[in-house]
Amino acid sequence: MLLTLHIIKIESGDYRAHVMEGAQHLGNYETTSIAEAIRLAAENPLPDLAGFHIWYEHVSIGSVPAGDMRRDPEALARRLVELHALFSNSHSKGFP
């Protein structure tokens, strides 16, 4: 099973993570960082959970195995932040 993890920044040091299965909202939780949101999602005890489609606001790093999320959530968080900055900058330069 692949779930969706959608992380939203409320303010610095305050993030909200939403967990979805398709269009069904399974729950949400508050964290202090993107990496913490990723780590907590990967600790889900569902036996058939393969991983998550991971989003940070409007960008995604695709489908990530739960084991990778547990092993290095910081690297995944960095990738999300880099993509977010890249696409946020393109919007500020007048790109659609």
Side-chain angles (χ1 to χ4, degrees):
M1 164 186 358
L2 279 170
L3 300 177
T4 298
L5 174 64
H6 188 197
I7 304 164
I8 300 169
K9 182 177 181 178
I10 306 302
E11 61 183 40
S12 183
D14 186 13
Y15 297 83
R16 182 171 297 129
H18 300 273
V19 178
M20 309 282 293
E21 182 176 17
Q24 181 181 3
H25 183 258
L26 300 179
N28 59 11
Y29 52 94
E30 305 289 324
T31 67
T32 59
S33 70
I34 296 169
E36 181 183 17
I38 293 169
R39 183 179 303 107
L40 289 172
E43 292 174 355
N44 195 317
L46 296 173
D48 58 344
L49 178 64
F52 286 84
H53 305 289
I54 303 178
W55 287 84
Y56 172 48
E57 297 191 351
H58 57 273
V59 298
S60 173
I61 55 172
S63 302
V64 179
D68 291 353
M69 294 168 65
R70 286 188 290 274
R71 258 187 306 283
D72 201 354
E74 290 80 11
L76 297 170
R78 279 191 301 276
R79 181 69 180 136
L80 283 165
V81 169
E82 290 167 0
L83 282 171
H84 187 272
L86 175 69
F87 287 101
S88 293
N89 288 338
S90 67
H91 286 298
S92 67
K93 294 177 184 175
F95 294 106

